[in-house]
Amino acid sequence: RLTMRPFLGFLVFFALYAGAAFPTFGSDGAAELAAAAAASGVPPPPAQTLAWILAKLSFWVPFGAPGYRLNLLAAFLMAATVPLVAETLERLSPPKGWTPFAHQELEQERWRATARWLTAFLWGLSPGPWRCALTFGPDTVGLFLTVLALRAAADGGFRAAFLAGLAVGQWPAAL
């Protein structure tokens, strides 16, 4: 079922994150990662290849300083985690309880959706995603891949293991 909520959640948090993003490099590893991507050099250790590739792609954005372009990419990735968290919570929530009347069932579903999106919005405002959204780094990519892996794990299958492996390669704290 397609709704506008995921798109609106993404837009709200992208605007919030992009407005608060650093105008230049913010974290200790961001400048080194950007320099390696700009010079087509070797990505800095430990295994930041995917972050290096994304940094290289962000240089194609036609406006802003290179550091700001990277931080817009960070804002994009972290804003995308908000609807992913909401969808993961929907998949992991317990089944609806039986209700004898249709209006009670509608009210129950309305409260479940409100709680799910409120939790996702609080996730977006928590210190981890907020810090990752302000400046681009391997932890930004790792946190995004970790949320993707959790979303895939809610459905089951091997895709979750693949994404979790990518996340741990970028960000060892994903373990």
Side-chain angles (χ1 to χ4, degrees):
R1 178 178 85 189
L2 291 176
T3 63
M4 288 296 292
R5 278 184 242 150
F7 183 67
L8 290 176
F10 168 79
L11 282 181
V12 164
F13 273 91
F14 181 70
L16 183 68
Y17 291 154
F22 290 135
T24 185
F25 308 109
S27 72
D28 29 43
E32 185 180 2
L33 183 63
S40 295
V42 177
Q48 297 177 10
T49 310
L50 188 57
W52 178 78
I53 290 170
L54 289 173
K56 205 150 184 54
L57 290 175
S58 75
F59 291 140
W60 290 355
V61 175
F63 58 88
Y68 186 68
R69 293 178 202 172
L70 280 174
N71 296 337
L72 279 182
L73 176 63
F76 179 85
L77 290 175
M78 287 300 104
T81 64
V82 173
L84 284 171
V85 165
E87 191 175 334
T88 302
L89 290 172
E90 180 180 2
R91 302 268 185 211
L92 295 177
S93 63
K96 290 189 284 188
W98 180 82
T99 55
F101 302 108
H103 72 279
Q104 288 176 333
E105 186 174 340
L106 284 173
E107 192 66 25
Q108 184 182 29
E109 181 57 36
R110 191 173 306 136
W111 277 109
R112 288 168 62 99
T114 302
R116 184 172 52 244
W117 278 99
L118 181 62
T119 305
F121 275 28
L122 289 175
W123 153 266
L125 295 174
S126 67
W130 184 266
R131 182 184 56 79
C132 289
L134 296 184
T135 181
F136 184 77
D139 50 348
T140 304
V141 178
L143 186 57
F144 176 72
L145 288 172
T146 302
V147 171
L148 269 180
L150 285 174
R151 170 62 186 88
D155 288 340
F158 295 108
R159 187 175 43 159
F162 174 73
L163 289 169
L166 281 176
V168 169
Q170 288 296 307
W171 190 46
L175 272 174

